Amino acid sequence: MGTVSVSPAGTDLVLLWVWRASLILAALALSIALGLACKRWFEERARIRKQVRKQVIGRLVQALLAAPREPTANDVPPLEPGDEPALFSVALDILRVTRGRDAQRVLLLLEIWNLMPWLRGVLAGGRRNRQIRVLTLLSHYRDSATLRLLLDHV
């Protein structure tokens, strides 16, 4: 009898390519999962760092408000880059419940720390909810330039 030669080379080649493609897809899925996990870890660290910084700024503002004399530029430590949102949030929280001398001191601290350029930047291109919060903060000012800015964005 004759032997029939069945060549598995064509089938093996297809299975080899399927195997390689599945390995590539598995490696791609693992690398995406790892990338997402790293992104979440970095975002969480940044969120915690911002939260800690907000607490530090809050304690600093409270201490400066409790001081017996008006704060000056020499009394106030400089802000770190990126502290503006935390200072803004702390100041707005304090101004919502405070009136009189303490409210004026908070506004003085914002002037010492030169927050106005950041506030203008938020009004020029920030998210709508943050713009509303900035306008709420600006409503505490009584100078004509700030009131004009407030009216321009209302």
Side-chain angles (χ1 to χ4, degrees):
M1 284 209 199
T3 60
V4 177
S5 170
V6 178
S7 174
T11 314
D12 286 346
L13 189 59
V14 170
L15 289 176
L16 183 62
W17 282 107
V18 168
W19 175 254
R20 286 182 181 167
S22 64
L23 284 178
I24 290 171
L25 289 175
L28 183 64
L30 282 175
S31 63
I32 289 172
L34 182 63
L36 290 173
C38 288
K39 178 182 179 237
R40 183 175 182 157
W41 183 74
F42 283 118
E43 287 174 347
E44 182 67 17
R45 285 192 58 194
R47 187 188 64 77
I48 290 170
R49 189 172 37 252
K50 286 178 185 178
Q51 188 176 28
V52 167
R53 195 64 193 143
K54 181 179 177 184
Q55 290 172 352
V56 168
I57 290 172
R59 286 192 302 267
L60 176 63
V61 169
Q62 290 293 338
L64 290 168
L65 291 178
R69 62 187 184 107
E70 294 289 319
T72 64
N74 295 333
D75 300 333
V76 178
L79 287 179
E80 293 179 9
D83 279 350
E84 292 86 358
L87 175 61
F88 163 68
S89 185
V90 166
L92 187 58
D93 290 344
I94 291 172
L95 286 172
R96 284 183 177 151
V97 297
T98 308
R99 299 288 179 259
R101 180 185 75 98
D102 286 343
Q104 292 304 314
R105 280 189 171 192
V106 170
L107 296 176
L108 176 64
L109 287 171
L110 296 180
E111 289 176 22
I112 290 172
W113 274 313
N114 195 24
L115 192 65
M116 194 58 72
W118 184 83
L119 295 173
R120 283 190 184 102
V122 170
L123 286 176
R127 295 185 313 250
R128 184 69 182 150
N129 62 343
R130 186 170 271 182
Q131 287 177 343
I132 292 169
R133 294 181 72 217
V134 167
L135 293 172
T136 304
L137 179 79
L138 291 178
S139 70
H140 291 276
Y141 283 89
R142 298 291 173 236
D143 62 292
S144 61
T146 306
L147 291 176
R148 206 171 325 109
L149 179 65
L150 178 67
L151 290 174
D152 288 344
H153 288 88
V154 172

